[in-house]
């Protein structure tokens, strides 16, 4: 089984943090734990080990390249040609679409400046425009994936997506029937688990754009600005499908796939991503797909984790990251399936705590008014 090790340290706010981390990489590896416990850094270390290319927005690529050399990232049998990185800043897509036309106007205006004395200023402005495009644009990443993806395997992935949706809906229907009178409310509440699909296409005027489908209403459009933030988890699906279809060994690295997702959508995302790696493993064993496809993701969602395990546990490994504040180091251990999971069970505990606090406040109010 491939293994990632991270050793060394980095400076954080003037203090040192030590790493001595070793994790086995299964087809779907899930990193859980509190904020600032090294999960994102682990994803970036994995990306840095890609043999051919990191496919990510410029901002993310810069962060990966700027990892301190005092931090040693090493992989035993990690033979990934490509690392595709999806980060929580993917919600930048909508505002970038809005400023893209402004950047184009700046470029056109600057290119019309012909005075030799203005050449240096013009070139400087154009470089700044290119830097913004590269840093913020999702389009380059999507276009790169679209060009590299095998159409044959993309078809397989799309077919699997449809099958997973039908399977998941069937599970909802079956469970709702067992709930008696409450079943219909349950079915209605969870049936909207994957309302939107998004892809990157060529338009009639030979430009590229993000095309979206409302899978329930049948509505479509080319303007992502009119969507809610639900397009963010839909992009996770887009990247998963295309990374699966890359004709080289690839790993998809996802920060918080559940960002902006309803709990039922988080559950489905975990379920679908596991189904996707299971299909890749099956085709790999059968000699039909000779390329590795793995997913490593950091999550704060118990729903996402449950969805992944619901699809089968053999392809999944879960690691709990934590911070040892006293010793200034990151600790990692396999999740044993226990009830208390750092970073995931706090919401339930806080609900209990807030109920106690509200109870005390109500008691105090009663005393004050009596």
């Amino acid at each position: 089984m491939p293994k990632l090790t991270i050793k060394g340290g980095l400076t954080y706010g003037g203090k040192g943090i030590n790493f001595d981390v070793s994790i086995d990489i299964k087809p779907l590896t899930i990193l859980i734990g509190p904020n600032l416990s090294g999960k994102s850094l682990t994803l970036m270390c994995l990306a840095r080990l890609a043999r051919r290319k990191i496919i990510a927005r410029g901002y993310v690529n810069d962060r990966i390249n700027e990892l301190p050399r005092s931090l040693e990232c090493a992989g035993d049998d990690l033979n990934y040609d490509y690392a595709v990185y999806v980060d929580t800043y993917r919600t930048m897509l909508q505002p970038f679409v809005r400023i893209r036309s402004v950047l184009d106007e700046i470029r056109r205006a600057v290119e019309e400046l012909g005075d030799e004395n203005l050449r240096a200023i013009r070139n400087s402005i154009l470089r700044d425009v290119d830097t913004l495009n590269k840093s913020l644009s999702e389009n380059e990443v999507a276009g790169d994936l679209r060009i590299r993806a095998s159409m044959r395997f993309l078809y397989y992935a799309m077919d699997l997506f449809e099958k997973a949706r039908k399977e998941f809906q069937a599970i909802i229907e079956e469970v709702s029937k067992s709930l008696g009178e409450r079943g219909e409310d349950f079915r209605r509440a969870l049936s909207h688990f994957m309302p939107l699909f998004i892809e990157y296409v060529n338009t009639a005027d030979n430009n590229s754009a993000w095309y979206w489908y409302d899978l329930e209403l049948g509505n479509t459009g080319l303007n992502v600005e009119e969507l809610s933030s639900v397009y963010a988890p839909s992009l996770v699906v887009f990247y998963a499908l295309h990374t699966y279809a890359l004709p080289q060994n690839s790993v998809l690295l996802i920060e918080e796939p559940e960002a902006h997702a309803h709990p039922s959508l988080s559950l489905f995302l975990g379920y679908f991503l596991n189904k996707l790696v299971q299909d890749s493993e099956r085709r790999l064993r059968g000699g039909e797909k000779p390329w590795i496809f793995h997913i490593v993701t950091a999550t704060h969602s118990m729903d996402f984790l449950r969805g992944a395990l619901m699809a089968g546990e053999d392809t999944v490994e879960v690691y709990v990251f934590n911070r040892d504040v006293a010793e200034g180091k990151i600790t990692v251990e396999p999740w044993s399936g226990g009830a208390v999971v750092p970073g995931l069970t706090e919401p339930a505990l806080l609900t209990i705590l807030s109920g106690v606090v509200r109870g005390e406040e109500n008691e105090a109010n009663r005393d004050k008014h009596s």
Side-chain angles (χ1 to χ4, degrees), residues 160-214:
L160 188 66
F161 173 69
E162 290 301 324
K163 287 179 180 176
R165 287 181 62 231
K166 290 176 182 177
E167 287 175 10
F168 202 77
Q169 184 63 49
I171 293 170
I172 293 171
E173 299 288 342
E174 183 179 346
V175 173
S176 65
K177 289 177 183 176
S178 69
L179 294 177
E181 294 180 359
R182 296 175 300 159
E184 182 57 25
D185 290 338
F186 174 86
R187 188 193 66 78
R188 282 200 302 266
L190 293 189
S191 290
H192 309 297
F193 62 88
M194 186 72 213
L196 193 77
F197 184 81
I198 192 167
E199 62 178 324
Y200 193 61
V201 300
N202 283 329
T203 59
D205 54 2
N206 208 30
N207 289 319
S208 298
W210 289 97
Y211 191 64
W212 58 266
Y213 307 79
D214 186 314

Side-chain angles (χ1 to χ4, degrees), residues 174-290:
E174 183 179 346
V175 173
S176 65
K177 289 177 183 176
S178 69
L179 294 177
E181 294 180 359
R182 296 175 300 159
E184 182 57 25
D185 290 338
F186 174 86
R187 188 193 66 78
R188 282 200 302 266
L190 293 189
S191 290
H192 309 297
F193 62 88
M194 186 72 213
L196 193 77
F197 184 81
I198 192 167
E199 62 178 324
Y200 193 61
V201 300
N202 283 329
T203 59
D205 54 2
N206 208 30
N207 289 319
S208 298
W210 289 97
Y211 191 64
W212 58 266
Y213 307 79
D214 186 314
L215 297 173
E216 296 176 340
L217 298 179
N219 295 2
T220 64
L222 284 169
N223 184 8
V224 293
E225 285 190 85
E226 63 185 304
L227 299 175
S228 74
S229 56
V230 73
Y231 79 88
S234 300
L235 276 180
V236 172
V237 172
F238 171 86
Y239 285 119
L241 296 172
H242 284 76
T243 307
Y244 169 98
L246 289 176
Q248 288 90 15
N249 294 339
S250 304
V251 60
L252 175 64
L253 307 166
I254 316 172
E255 282 194 58
E256 299 180 37
E258 74 279 2
H260 302 283
H262 184 275
S264 61
L265 176 49
S266 297
L267 195 74
F268 175 73
L269 281 177
Y271 180 85
F272 168 64
L273 293 181
N274 195 3
K275 287 288 186 179
L276 201 58
V277 296
Q278 287 174 7
D279 183 78
S280 180
E281 291 295 294
R282 180 180 65 81
R283 294 184 189 276
L284 186 65
R285 289 191 300 270
E288 185 181 358
K289 184 178 188 288

Side-chain angles (χ1 to χ4, degrees), residues 67 91 101 123 139 173 195 209 211 233 238 310 334 350:
L67 284 176
T91 51
S101 60
N123 291 342
N139 296 5
E173 299 288 342
Y211 191 64
F238 171 86
M310 190 172 114
L350 290 172

